[in-house]
Amino acid sequence: MKPVVIIGAVAAGMSAASELKRRMPDLRVIVYGKEKYISYGACGMPYLIGGEVSSPERLIVLTPEKAREQRGIDLHVEHEVISIDRKSKTVLVKNHATGEEFTQEYEKLVIATGARAVRPPIPGIDLEGIFTLKKYQDGLDVKEYLDRRKPSRAIILGGGYIGIETAEAFKRSGMDVTVVEALPRILTLLDEDMAALVNEELVRNDVRVMTGRKVKGFTGDGRLSTVTLDDGTELEADIALVSAGVVPNSELAAEAGLELGEKKAILLNDVLKTSDPDIYAAGDCSTVCNRVLGDKVYVPLALGANRQGRICGENIAAELSGEQPAEFSCILGTAISRVFDMEFAKTGLGEAEIARNNLNNLRSATVKAKNLAGYFEGTSPMHLKIYYDIDTKVIKGGQIVGGRPSAKRIDTIATAVTAGMTLQDVYNLDLAYAPPFSPVWDPLLIAARTGMKQA
Amino acid sequence: MKPVVIIGAVAAGMSAASELKRRMPDLRVIVYGKEKYISYGACGMPYLIGGEVSSPERLIVLTPEKAREQRGIDLHVEHEVISIDRKSKTVLVKNHATGEEFTQEYEKLVIATGARAVRPPIPGIDLEGIFTLKKYQDGLDVKEYLDRRKPSRAIILGGGYIGIETAEAFKRSGMDVTVVEALPRILTLLDEDMAALVNEELVRNDVRVMTGRKVKGFTGDGRLSTVTLDDGTELEADIALVSAGVVPNSELAAEAGLELGEKKAILLNDVLKTSDPDIYAAGDCSTVCNRVLGDKVYVPLALGANRQGRICGENIAAELSGEQPAEFSCILGTAISRVFDMEFAKTGLGEAEIARNNLNNLRSATVKAKNLAGYFEGTSPMHLKIYYDIDTKVIKGGQIVGGRPSAKRIDTIATAVTAGMTLQDVYNLDLAYAPPFSPVWDPLLIAARTGMKQA
């Protein structure tokens, strides 16, 4: 049999390769990674900068040597797949170390090319001192620049998760930090009231937040010194992080004529096949199904990427063995993060999804409670909101913003949404109580009751 | 109409009274509380001793004045109900402040007399310096003794939740602490392997744990100075805490001829009525239904008590208005606590329930993982175990022992058990991931996958 070829050697690609080799140890599985590094914890990079990850090496989940020796994967780093020929079932590969190009045939192909940071065409964006934070090398580059140049004024372009995580990291490094967000507010994944609480925490920690303004230009003598906004404001800056979102690396798939979906991500069916039955895809280059609405969306998050990769491996093994493939379980878009002492999380439907899909049968119940027993030292406010269907009272989503620890409780809401629980079902839950962990009535129970009273 | 009378003014009693007044503001609701204090956070007392609750007043949830003025409850503290006459629907009440006794008639009666700490008949148990920790006054007494006598050697009788929480509190107060447990191990609510991890944390923090030994006697010249064990060991001690469990205060109900259940707790039906249709009961004096096994058990925990109280209030209001009563949602026995830097929690079925009920269709899957991303500063080991039905693969319970924060995630398992989720359902959950909160694959997902591979 011809080998299985996997394009991409980070989360989804290596998960697919590892699962495939676990199930079919004798199968030849070739993985091409464009970069030097494989399988790293990309989400850890803001914490590497902020000092909560002690060294870049700690972010490496798997080295190429281990992937080859322990997992038996035929791994080639610094190899870029340039094109896919679906007719001959081959890929054209370029070895960046040698410059050599060669053709490799495949039995099944997995596209796991990931996503890349958006670099908007702003004048001056190529000046020294302007970074994105997506690839492992990006983390190394920022870290090296901080050590070498000791910048003192930072501008963050974009108030999404990565932007504000890095704002905290820069602040922890002693810098003066400004976040510039083009939209009227930061963290648009969260509801407006919830995002406002996070904004307050940034401001409380002396991070400047400028919303509704765009960066018009970067200037400097070779190296960044000034950032100009569209309202004319000029901000002095020694470093800038562009965190304006990511786009799927789907060009290779598009050129091969594969169907694309939302945001030009590679469109997948329920068993993670593309429009070519011999080509699978997984991770941040592809769509994922949304559990609540049932549509295919572009939500590039780590767990989904790893899970898609693993299921790709599982399904190729099944297909090659004549067995039934597994369906990818849809996601809720559960996301979590933290700035300074404030945690925040979301799952399922919220304002953003309601607006995007014109949903008009949802209502929310919000509570402000305490994360621990009210009388316990270190207890903090915790804001919790749930969304439910007005008719059926079934929970469709939730959000949490609160002091440490509070946000990981979003998992309870994600589980309730997945199970199709009603407000009454949630109110009946026997959740854990002890003073260092929760009030007697967990905020989720209070929110469910609030919803029941509204209903 | 005659008034509704509630016996007991702590969690269940005050919850019942408050809910009843909320629903029927014009109804006369009389509450008799035996003690001076009402509605306090009993679970907070170990933390009051250990300094994580800054003052005893903080534990007071509601004062008698507020109960009367803001909630309109006809509250009488230091009033003990001595007997119930079901025929005439009256109670005989003693006012402990004046010594006066009187009869009060009721339309509906709620027994919420709670539980009391077991005080085993050990010689010398009445010496000064020997305490239990159940009532608010107990907390004040221990605190006062610590301040006045500055004891330096403490003995804890009993290695349950309260025992080891107080062991930590005493240690934090600078004492030399020994826990003496009659059974072969501490924390028998947890599985043996999980409890052993907690035992290690106690030992690591210099708390002596002596299992399989009983206290035979206390000696001292008026005040405790020596504790003698059944193997002849003599331990010097300036203070002893007896935490040998609790028993329901059900004598009043028994004398009135009401039916009792497990551990002589007042037996309740699904709408929280006793065997007398005009008498309800709630909280630590009564049984509660177990969701997984469907039987009526004695599990005196705070959330269940508050919830039963509230539903009692709801159901009496419904009955008096000719509406349908609500069924009490059964519990899972979800429990959580912490010693030093180790958290632990349990929900649903485990070794204890398997042994007690001769269940032979359950299997467990255990993982040792990290609570946060492995590369994140301050990440700790986290042990997670789930129990599932061998045939149906439905999750029936779980336990967590791990570093901070980890144990509150038991709520996700409790929700999955309540929803009847299978291993596959749990594995498919879209749980929250970010480096400061979890590994990409949450330990629960890994446990579910481990179970699937076993299955």
Side-chain angles (χ1 to χ4, degrees):
Chain A
M1 197 179 349
K2 286 177 281 182
V4 170
V5 171
I6 298 175
I7 312 173
V10 190
M14 291 309 291
S15 292
S18 301
E19 185 67 21
L20 201 43
K21 287 298 291 185
R22 207 180 66 78
R23 293 182 180 246
M24 304 186 85
D26 297 332
L27 182 73
R28 187 165 167 222
V29 177
I30 303 175
V31 177
Y32 296 114
K34 192 171 156 190
E35 318 295 330
K36 210 161 95 191
Y37 302 98
I38 65 164
S39 202
Y40 51 85
C43 307
M45 285 192 299
Y47 306 101
L48 173 66
I49 294 166
E52 288 178 284
V53 174
S54 56
S55 77
E57 297 74 37
R58 299 211 60 180
L59 293 179
I60 299 288
V61 178
L62 190 68
T63 61
E65 294 67 36
K66 280 194 179 166
R68 292 185 195 112
E69 286 158 27
Q70 293 174 10
R71 303 200 185 174
I73 296 166
D74 189 359
L75 172 71
H76 304 268
V77 296
E78 296 180 88
H79 277 59
E80 182 177 1
V81 172
I82 293 166
S83 64
I84 302 167
D85 183 338
R86 290 164 55 194
K87 250 189 212 147
S88 65
K89 290 179 68 178
T90 58
V91 290
L92 180 64
V93 187
K94 178 162 189 170
N95 178 342
H96 281 296
T98 62
E100 165 208 16
E101 288 187 11
F102 61 91
T103 297
Q104 171 63 50
E105 53 182 3
Y106 64 81
E107 181 72 32
K108 298 287 169 190
L109 182 68
V110 178
I111 306 177
T113 43
R116 62 181 179 276
V118 170
R119 259 185 104 85
I122 300 170
I125 197 162
D126 291 324
L127 285 171
E128 192 190 356
I130 303 176
F131 298 91
T132 53
L133 201 53
K134 179 76 182 76
K135 292 179 295 186
Y136 185 73
Q137 188 63 49
D138 295 338
L140 298 182
D141 290 348
V142 172
K143 190 89 182 139
E144 188 273 339
Y145 193 79
L146 293 185
D147 292 345
R148 183 163 51 89
R149 293 288 181 194
K150 309 220 180 316
S152 62
R153 294 157 306 183
I155 305 289
I156 310 267
L157 275 73
Y161 280 66
I162 307 286
I164 67 170
E165 284 165 9
T166 310
E168 176 184 350
F170 281 173
K171 196 76 206 169
R172 281 172 179 262
S173 310
M175 285 187 258
D176 180 67
V177 181
T178 303
V179 175
V180 179
E181 167 61 57
L183 295 172
R185 62 182 181 88
I186 63 165
L187 284 180
T188 49
L189 269 169
L190 293 184
D191 282 8
E192 189 164 359
D193 56 343
M194 301 304 252
L197 297 164
V198 182
N199 197 121
E200 280 169 23
E201 179 72 3
L202 286 168
V203 172
R204 191 158 36 238
N205 285 278
D206 212 22
V207 170
R208 201 179 304 111
V209 181
M210 304 177 83
T211 54
R213 273 169 284 188
K214 282 182 193 167
V215 172
K216 211 178 65 180
F218 298 99
T219 45
D221 189 8
R223 195 188 315 151
L224 175 68
S225 63
T226 308
V227 176
T228 308
L229 307 188
D230 57 359
D231 65 355
T233 309
E234 298 207 332
L235 302 166
E236 295 192 336
D238 315 306
I239 187 169
L241 180 86
V242 179
S243 57
V246 298
V247 288
N249 290 322
S250 57
E251 288 80 0
L252 195 60
E255 284 158 18
L258 298 177
E259 210 176 324
L260 303 185
E262 191 184 51
K263 295 191 182 163
K264 297 194 178 170
I266 304 169
L267 190 68
L268 296 184
N269 71 9
D270 291 340
V271 298
L272 306 186
K273 283 193 179 187
T274 66
S275 50
D276 180 324
D278 289 321
I279 305 180
Y280 290 76
D284 292 358
C285 61
S286 60
T287 62
V288 65
C289 56
N290 178 312
R291 179 180 292 276
V292 189
L293 298 173
D295 53 345
K296 308 268 180 180
V297 289
Y298 183 59
V299 181
L301 288 171
L303 174 59
N306 278 274
R307 201 195 293 269
Q308 279 192 328
R310 197 181 263 182
I311 291 178
C312 254
E314 223 177 294
N315 285 357
I316 293 173
E319 192 180 351
L320 297 179
S321 323
E323 287 163 19
Q324 278 299 311
E327 284 194 11
F328 176 77
S329 62
C330 301
I331 62 149
L332 291 172
T334 310
I336 190 167
S337 192
R338 192 202 78 190
V339 275
F340 301 101
D341 289 321
M342 187 151 292
E343 303 181 348
F344 51 97
K346 178 189 175 175
T347 192
L349 305 183
E351 273 175 13
E353 293 72 22
I354 291 172
R356 194 182 312 132
N357 301 281
N358 292 313
L359 307 172
N360 50 25
N361 213 34
L362 290 180
R363 190 165 177 185
S364 66
T366 308
V367 296
K368 181 181 175 185
K370 298 282 188 172
N371 61 341
L372 317 179
Y375 52 72
F376 200 79
E377 285 291 309
T379 190
S380 305
M382 172 173 163
H383 303 257
L384 187 149
K385 182 188 282 198
I386 48 176
Y387 279 91
Y388 60 94
D389 183 283
I390 294 174
D391 299 319
T392 64
K393 314 299 179 208
V394 171
I395 307 279
K396 297 295 183 182
Q399 297 179 35
I400 296 172
V401 176
R404 303 189 196 183
S406 57
K408 184 63 174 156
R409 302 180 195 194
I410 200 75
D411 287 351
T412 310
I413 303 179
T415 307
V417 172
T418 303
M421 285 183 169
T422 63
L423 291 171
Q424 176 78 57
D425 294 336
V426 170
Y427 177 59
N428 286 350
L429 285 171
D430 188 11
L431 302 183
Y433 160 65
F437 297 93
S438 174
V440 175
W441 291 96
D442 187 279
L444 176 58
L445 303 179
I446 307 176
R449 179 156 151 115
T450 302
M452 287 159 68
K453 284 189 196 165
Q454 285 174 177
Chain B
M1 196 178 354
K2 287 177 282 181
V4 170
V5 170
I6 298 176
I7 312 172
V10 192
M14 291 309 291
S15 293
S18 301
E19 185 67 20
L20 202 42
K21 286 300 290 186
R22 206 180 67 79
R23 292 181 180 245
M24 304 185 84
D26 296 333
L27 183 72
R28 187 167 168 221
V29 177
I30 303 174
V31 177
Y32 296 115
K34 193 171 155 189
E35 318 295 331
K36 209 161 95 191
Y37 302 98
I38 66 163
S39 202
Y40 50 86
C43 307
M45 286 194 296
Y47 307 101
L48 173 66
I49 294 167
E52 288 178 285
V53 174
S54 57
S55 76
E57 296 74 37
R58 298 212 61 181
L59 293 179
I60 299 288
V61 177
L62 190 68
T63 60
E65 293 68 35
K66 280 194 179 167
R68 291 186 195 112
E69 287 158 27
Q70 295 175 8
R71 304 202 184 173
I73 297 166
D74 188 359
L75 171 70
H76 304 268
V77 297
E78 296 182 88
H79 277 59
E80 183 177 1
V81 172
I82 293 166
S83 63
I84 302 167
D85 184 338
R86 291 163 54 192
K87 249 189 214 145
S88 65
K89 292 179 67 177
T90 59
V91 290
L92 181 64
V93 188
K94 178 165 187 167
N95 178 340
H96 281 296
T98 63
E100 168 208 13
E101 287 187 12
F102 61 91
T103 298
Q104 171 63 52
E105 54 182 3
Y106 63 82
E107 181 73 29
K108 298 287 170 189
L109 182 68
V110 178
I111 305 177
T113 43
R116 63 182 177 275
V118 170
R119 260 185 103 85
I122 299 170
I125 197 161
D126 292 323
L127 284 170
E128 191 191 356
I130 304 177
F131 298 91
T132 54
L133 202 54
K134 181 77 181 74
K135 292 178 295 186
Y136 185 72
Q137 188 62 51
D138 295 338
L140 298 182
D141 290 349
V142 171
K143 191 88 181 139
E144 188 274 337
Y145 193 79
L146 294 184
D147 291 345
R148 183 164 50 90
R149 291 290 181 193
K150 310 220 179 314
S152 62
R153 293 156 307 182
I155 305 289
I156 309 268
L157 275 75
Y161 279 65
I162 307 285
I164 68 170
E165 285 166 8
T166 310
E168 176 184 350
F170 280 173
K171 196 75 206 174
R172 280 171 179 263
S173 311
M175 285 188 258
D176 180 68
V177 181
T178 303
V179 175
V180 179
E181 168 60 58
L183 295 171
R185 63 184 181 88
I186 62 164
L187 283 179
T188 50
L189 269 169
L190 292 183
D191 282 7
E192 189 163 359
D193 56 343
M194 302 302 254
L197 296 165
V198 182
N199 198 120
E200 281 169 22
E201 179 72 2
L202 286 168
V203 171
R204 191 159 36 238
N205 285 278
D206 211 23
V207 170
R208 201 178 303 113
V209 181
M210 304 177 82
T211 54
R213 273 168 286 188
K214 282 182 191 165
V215 170
K216 212 178 65 179
F218 299 101
T219 46
D221 188 8
R223 192 189 318 150
L224 175 68
S225 62
T226 309
V227 176
T228 308
L229 307 188
D230 57 358
D231 65 355
T233 307
E234 298 205 334
L235 303 167
E236 296 190 338
D238 315 306
I239 187 169
L241 179 87
V242 179
S243 58
V246 298
V247 289
N249 290 322
S250 57
E251 288 80 358
L252 195 60
E255 282 159 19
L258 298 177
E259 211 176 322
L260 302 186
E262 191 183 51
K263 295 191 180 160
K264 297 193 177 169
I266 303 169
L267 190 68
L268 297 183
N269 70 10
D270 291 340
V271 297
L272 305 184
K273 283 193 178 187
T274 66
S275 49
D276 180 324
D278 290 320
I279 306 180
Y280 290 76
D284 293 359
C285 62
S286 60
T287 62
V288 64
C289 56
N290 176 312
R291 180 180 291 274
V292 190
L293 298 173
D295 53 346
K296 307 269 181 181
V297 290
Y298 184 58
V299 180
L301 288 170
L303 175 59
N306 279 274
R307 201 194 292 268
Q308 280 193 328
R310 198 180 262 184
I311 292 180
C312 254
E314 221 177 296
N315 285 357
I316 292 172
E319 191 178 352
L320 297 179
S321 323
E323 289 163 18
Q324 279 298 312
E327 285 195 9
F328 176 77
S329 63
C330 300
I331 62 150
L332 291 171
T334 309
I336 191 167
S337 193
R338 192 202 78 191
V339 276
F340 301 102
D341 289 322
M342 187 151 292
E343 302 181 348
F344 52 97
K346 177 189 175 176
T347 192
L349 305 182
E351 271 174 14
E353 292 73 21
I354 291 171
R356 194 184 309 131
N357 301 282
N358 293 311
L359 307 173
N360 50 28
N361 213 35
L362 289 181
R363 191 166 177 184
S364 67
T366 308
V367 295
K368 182 183 174 182
K370 297 283 187 173
N371 61 340
L372 317 179
Y375 52 73
F376 200 78
E377 284 291 308
T379 189
S380 305
M382 172 173 163
H383 303 258
L384 186 149
K385 183 188 281 198
I386 49 176
Y387 278 92
Y388 59 94
D389 183 285
I390 294 173
D391 299 320
T392 63
K393 314 299 180 208
V394 170
I395 307 279
K396 297 295 184 182
Q399 297 179 35
I400 296 172
V401 177
R404 304 187 195 186
S406 56
K408 183 65 173 154
R409 304 180 193 194
I410 200 75
D411 287 350
T412 312
I413 304 179
T415 307
V417 172
T418 302
M421 286 185 167
T422 63
L423 291 172
Q424 177 79 54
D425 294 335
V426 170
Y427 177 60
N428 287 350
L429 285 171
D430 188 11
L431 302 183
Y433 159 66
F437 297 93
S438 173
V440 176
W441 292 96
D442 188 278
L444 175 58
L445 303 178
I446 307 175
R449 178 155 152 116
T450 303
M452 287 159 68
K453 285 190 194 163
Q454 284 174 176

